[in-house]
Every structure is written in C-alpha cells, then in structure tokens.
Amino acid sequence: MLTEIERRELEDAVKHYPEKRGAAIDALLTVQRHRGWISDESLLDIAQFLEITAEDLDSIATFYNLVFRKPVGRHVVFVCDSISCWIKGCEQVQEQIKNLYDVDLGQTTSDGRLTVLPIACLGHCERAPAMMIDQDVYGEVAPEKMENIMDKYK
C-alpha cells in the first residue's frame, strides 16, 4: 500500500506527463527513496496507481539499473566498468573494495553498510576510473584513495 506521502508525490509526478505511465521511472524512484528498494508489493501498488500492468512496470524497473528490485545497503557503490574505466584500472578499484570491506560486486557487506554494483558508464570517462556512491560521483579513483572516500559513508 502506498503511503499518503508517496501517493502525493506520485500525483505530482504524473502531472508532468501526458499519460500516467510516462511517470513510471519517477514513480519507482520516488517509492524507492522512501523504502530503499522496490519490493514485489511496491511494484504492484505503483503499477495500479499508474494504471499499467505489473509486468510492464517490472520490465522498466529491471532495465533501469538505478532501481533496486532487492534490498541494498545503506549506501550503494557503483563501480564503472566501461572501456575507459577498465583501461584506467577499475579492476584494481574493485579489488581494493573487496579487500577493505570483504564484499564482491553484486553483494552487500555483512553489516548492511554497502552494496557494490557494476555500472556500464557514469559518463565520467575523462576522469576514469570512476565510481558513484549514492548520488556522489568520483573520478580518477585509485585504490589508495578508497579509504578516504569511503570514510564519508560510515
């Protein structure tokens, strides 16, 4: 069931589109901001609000990599693995994250602090390797910078 706040925010979002379904990504991100992820129940509630099928909404949710269909940590770390970042050392960044926090790509730390995910491109190629934590983008990330960067997300 959508909360009153979520419903109000979704009603505001759909005003910007000629059809309710146009607000699908906005709606998913709105509910995710409140709940942390999109459960099957949340997906059904949003689909009903938007007057589309749950299958159609799920296809959008699973395509868009910033919508989480399973629980994630308090902070989500996206490590770019595009060709530019790969050439500049994203694998060493991934390895350093694993060494420091005992977590592989696609996993969440045992304390629930971090979920680490790959992302195809952050659009930060000129400062590769890049990563994004929550909404903060970092460029020219090197393994020796990781602890300093991650200290902000305790």
Side-chain angles (χ1 to χ4, degrees):
M1 186 129 225
L2 295 172
T3 67
E4 186 60 37
I5 292 169
E6 291 167 343
R7 184 169 289 285
R8 249 192 329 251
E9 290 179 21
L10 296 183
E11 287 169 356
D12 286 341
V14 299
K15 291 177 187 176
H16 300 283
Y17 297 91
E19 296 179 16
K20 278 184 161 184
R21 70 181 308 117
I25 292 174
D26 291 340
L28 288 162
L29 293 175
T30 295
V31 172
Q32 180 173 281
R33 187 177 64 249
H34 290 282
R35 300 180 186 195
W37 65 293
I38 301 296
S39 66
D40 290 343
E41 179 185 300
S42 299
L43 186 97
L44 290 170
D45 292 340
I46 297 166
Q48 184 177 24
F49 177 86
L50 295 175
E51 300 170 2
I52 61 176
T53 68
E55 291 79 16
D56 285 346
L57 187 60
D58 190 46
S59 69
I60 294 167
T62 55
F63 175 79
Y64 191 60
N65 60 4
L66 297 180
V67 173
F68 310 124
R69 289 289 282 128
K70 60 182 183 177
V72 294
R74 289 188 310 277
H75 302 287
V76 179
V77 180
F78 288 100
V79 180
C80 183
D81 60 4
S82 69
I83 188 68
S84 298
C85 288
W86 182 77
I87 289 169
K88 295 291 246 170
C90 73
E91 290 176 319
Q92 289 82 12
V93 172
Q94 293 169 0
E95 190 63 31
Q96 182 69 349
I97 291 171
K98 182 177 180 176
N99 291 338
L100 291 172
Y101 304 103
D102 192 31
V103 63
D104 280 315
L105 288 177
Q107 296 180 338
T108 300
T109 56
S110 59
D111 63 0
R113 176 179 166 205
L114 305 170
T115 296
V116 183
L117 300 170
I119 192 163
C121 186
L122 289 171
H124 219 53
C125 301
E126 75 284 357
R127 297 196 59 221
M131 69 180 203
M132 183 170 75
I133 304 172
D134 300 331
Q135 299 301 313
D136 304 324
V137 179
Y138 297 90
E140 299 175 358
V141 178
E144 60 272 9
K145 294 181 180 180
M146 288 304 303
E147 284 187 89
N148 189 37
I149 292 170
M150 298 305 289
D151 279 346
K152 299 173 189 171
Y153 302 94
K154 286 189 174 180

